[in-house]
Every structure is written in structure tokens, then in C-alpha cells.
Amino acid sequence: MRVSPLLLLLFTLPALAATPRTDAKADAKPEIARGPVQPQAQGAVHTLRQIPEACARLEGMFTGQADDPYAFTVVRISPQCQPRARFVDAAKAKPAENGWVLNDLIRVPNAACPSQQAVVHIWRKPVDKTAKLDGQGQQRIYLEEQSQKAKAGKLDAIPMYAAQMQVEGKACAR
């Protein structure tokens, strides 16, 4: 007896849908698809990414030290910049488990040691931007109401970003 491929597909789809998934965050694809990054020399500070809404720039540098091979910092773009998002510490926020979205994955090869690379995960936590409408179907913002909220420390949530860095590969001998 020969089974039709269509019939086989109809019976296997429910079984595949019922199969439990493994950790979705481990397999998550970043929102931003980026090509390979140029290998970076040791001691040269380089920009990994700018996040204008958080007024932040991510910088990195290969140090050449075995115990801490890559230095990673978040730098404010400009003192006049008004952030519309906040950059938070990834160790405290735990972005891999609390409703965060993998925004970007950057792999930076070490020019002096091709077997080593820095891997930076950038996470984004979106906020619910569902507009609350009044009886006339309009969104209204009242200055006095917003001033009172600000004084009470109950401002609306803003998007957040966090970054995690790790070094992969073997260290090269000096």
C-alpha cells in the first residue's frame, strides 16, 4: 500500500506541533541581520554599534591580556542628547529570560589572534504602546496629569536595552 505524501503531511503536522520546543532564546535570531565584522587590532578602540534612542554607543577593544582579552564599554553619545530609551546592566536585568528580544548579535574577530572573537548580544525590551482612547476615540495627554505623574515617580515605561559580551575561542600564545 502506498501512502500519499499529502496524507502523510496531514498526520505528521499535529505531532510536530505538539512536540515540546527546546529553549527558544538559545535559537533566537536577532532582529538585525548583519554581515561579518572586520577583524580588529589589539589596543584599537572600535565602535560596535550606536543606539540613538538610548543616547549610547557601544565600544570595544582587544586588550591582549589573557585574563581579560576584550574590554567593552557603553559611552554616552552627547550630553545634549535626550534619551527615549534606557540602557541597563544586563547582569541585573537578565534579558535572556524576562521578555526581552534579541536585537543584535555582533561577532568581532581578533586580528592578532584569528581563533578568538568577542561576541556581543544586544537585547531590547519593548513597551506596550497601546494608546488609551477617550470616549471620542482620541488620545489625549493632559499637562497637569503628566506633571503629577512625574512628581509621584509614576511615569510611563520606556524601552530598555542591555548588552552582554563574552569572548569565544582559544587565546593565542604571545
Side-chain angles (χ1 to χ4, degrees):
M1 179 177 160
R2 213 177 112 114
V3 177
S4 160
L6 182 60
L7 188 61
L8 184 63
L9 181 64
L10 286 174
F11 283 109
T12 55
L13 278 179
L16 290 173
T19 306
R21 292 204 48 178
T22 56
D23 183 20
K25 293 286 183 182
D27 300 341
K29 290 207 180 243
E31 294 176 314
I32 298 173
R34 106 177 24 252
V37 176
Q38 292 288 355
Q40 298 294 319
Q42 287 184 359
V45 176
H46 50 271
T47 298
L48 295 165
R49 169 148 176 227
Q50 289 198 40
I51 303 174
E53 52 267 39
C55 298
R57 179 178 64 242
L58 306 176
E59 292 182 344
M61 177 182 72
F62 284 102
T63 63
Q65 300 171 3
D67 58 336
D68 191 18
Y70 192 76
F72 170 75
T73 57
V74 179
V75 179
R76 185 164 171 97
I77 294 174
S78 165
Q80 289 82 22
C81 185
Q82 298 295 317
R84 298 178 312 277
R86 196 167 35 142
F87 208 92
V88 297
D89 182 18
K92 292 178 185 173
K94 297 183 172 60
E97 57 194 51
N98 291 329
W100 292 69
V101 177
L102 181 60
N103 181 254
D104 201 355
L105 176 64
I106 304 169
R107 296 181 180 276
V108 184
N110 186 344
C113 181
S115 65
Q116 192 177 59
Q117 67 179 346
V119 180
V120 179
H121 292 85
I122 301 172
W123 299 88
R124 180 180 65 82
K125 187 168 189 175
V127 294
D128 181 21
K129 290 288 187 182
T130 307
K132 294 176 185 162
L133 305 178
D134 65 4
Q136 296 177 341
Q138 299 292 319
Q139 180 183 12
R140 306 212 189 264
I141 300 172
Y142 297 100
L143 182 59
E144 187 63 34
E145 234 177 69
Q146 293 300 318
S147 296
Q148 289 174 358
K149 276 178 144 180
K151 288 177 187 172
K154 296 182 180 180
L155 292 174
D156 295 334
I158 61 171
M160 292 189 284
Y161 286 86
Q164 297 171 313
M165 188 277 303
Q166 64 190 34
V167 177
E168 293 179 352
K170 296 179 182 178
C172 296
R174 296 194 118 225

